[in-house]
Amino acid sequence: MKRELAEAARDLAAYIRNLDENLAELPRPGAVKTAPAALPKAKAPPAPAEVPPPTIMTKKPADMDALAAQVKSCRKCGLGDSRLNAVFGVGTYKAKVVFVGEGPGFQEDHLGEPFVGRSGQLLDKILETVLGLKRSEVYIANIVKCHPMKNPADPESHGNDRPPTPDEIAACRPYLDEQLRFIKPACIVTLGSVPTKVLLNTDKGISLVRGRSYDYPVEIVPGRPIKVIPTYHPAALLRNPNLKRDTWEDMKMLKTFLETGKIT
Ligand code: SF4
């Protein structure tokens, strides 16, 4: 009996030691989340079935203005029937960095410009305070150019946004790659999970992928891969201010790249 009690006490002590070690590895409440150190170099992540492959336009426009005109009259997917305005993009065609979001929302649809409203104001603030850049010195666009709505019959209602479907993304994707071919940026910043999954051809969420840079899997400039820096969508920062610190880190990485050409 005594021996059994001693063994049970030893087992219990070992269990508690093990528990302590596991608890020590858990992040403390409020601790800053760091980039996952063990992430593999994901230059060619696995392609999830629902992400459309990169595409090339068969009818090439002469320049960005011709491309914008094509987008304005496009009806390649159902979003073209319900949009108020196609939202082509904004900024300079000489931008070193292109920011890519998911798709236009209510205000973007009404104004025909990406990232207006509270998310857009926060993006402008990030550009100015961290990068020292104005909206007019970068380029901002979306994966899809027309507003995806839950109820397409009611473009005047708020709270009607939804993510674009894989078919809508596949239909619209060539426009973005063509925009990149005209701009030839050094870097793309993907804002949130949808553009990150589509442009990096990965099924991993933004929190797993951010914190480092990748090569854009589509060759835009022969022999010079465009760097991709994924970060959170400004709307996510408005919902959860704890994400700001990670976003600032990502933007500092971008700033260093723009200033020195070096990137992690
Ligand atoms: S979302 Fe893109 S593909 Fe669909 S209608 Fe608009 S511009 Fe055309």
Side-chain angles (χ1 to χ4, degrees):
M1 181 69 178
K2 255 187 184 172
R3 207 174 63 217
E4 283 165 9
L5 276 173
E7 277 172 8
R10 261 200 316 275
D11 288 346
L12 185 61
Y15 174 79
I16 289 170
R17 256 197 325 273
N18 197 22
L19 195 61
D20 280 343
E21 281 164 14
N22 286 336
L23 283 173
E25 283 174 17
L26 285 175
R28 294 184 311 282
V32 176
K33 188 174 154 293
T34 53
L39 265 183
K41 292 260 177 197
K43 288 191 178 173
E50 78 271 19
V51 175
T55 44
I56 293 178
M57 289 184 72
T58 43
K59 205 173 142 200
K60 294 263 181 197
D63 54 28
M64 279 281 261
D65 292 341
L67 181 63
Q70 274 190 31
V71 167
K72 215 171 165 188
S73 60
C74 179
R75 295 283 189 278
K76 283 204 293 168
C77 78
L79 300 183
D81 297 327
S82 54
R83 70 173 177 228
L84 299 177
N85 286 292
V87 181
F88 181 66
V90 70
T92 172
Y93 298 166
K94 294 180 178 164
K96 278 180 151 183
V97 53
V98 173
F99 290 79
V100 179
E102 177 178 305
F106 176 91
Q107 280 165 308
E108 288 78 12
D109 192 19
H110 279 70
L111 295 173
E113 182 171 328
F115 283 89
V116 287
R118 285 182 70 214
S119 291
Q121 285 162 14
L122 181 54
L123 180 61
D124 289 349
K125 193 174 161 195
I126 293 168
L127 290 176
E128 209 172 313
T129 54
V130 188
L131 301 170
L133 293 171
K134 295 190 188 76
R135 163 179 285 245
S136 57
E137 294 174 291
V138 302
Y139 197 80
I140 306 171
N142 283 307
I143 292 284
V144 296
K145 312 301 186 198
C146 305
H147 182 195
M149 288 177 246
K150 288 183 219 157
N151 179 6
D154 192 8
E156 293 302 332
S157 72
H158 287 274
N160 195 13
D161 302 344
R162 64 162 172 80
T165 65
D167 284 349
E168 290 158 357
I169 292 171
C172 211
R173 172 73 186 277
Y175 293 132
L176 179 65
D177 277 336
E178 211 53 40
Q179 285 174 302
L180 294 172
R181 284 190 186 94
F182 283 123
I183 297 171
K184 299 181 178 53
C187 186
I188 299 166
V189 175
T190 52
L191 298 165
S193 268
V194 170
T196 302
K197 286 180 176 177
V198 171
L199 295 196
L200 287 182
N201 204 14
T202 181
D203 55 5
K204 293 191 175 84
I206 182 67
S207 57
L208 290 174
V209 178
R210 65 146 296 279
R212 52 158 295 188
S213 68
Y214 301 80
D215 286 348
Y216 187 41
V218 182
E219 187 174 69
I220 298 292
V221 184
R224 174 173 71 75
I226 296 178
K227 292 294 175 192
V228 179
I229 297 178
T231 195
Y232 292 106
H233 193 286
L237 306 190
L238 291 170
R239 285 192 302 271
N240 181 2
N242 289 333
L243 301 176
K244 280 185 183 171
R245 191 171 183 126
D246 282 349
T247 306
W248 256 240
E249 292 301 322
D250 298 336
M251 291 303 97
K252 279 198 280 180
M253 187 198 306
L254 170 64
K255 186 175 166 65
T256 303
F257 177 59
L258 293 177
E259 287 173 353
T260 68
K262 296 199 174 88
I263 198 160
T264 51

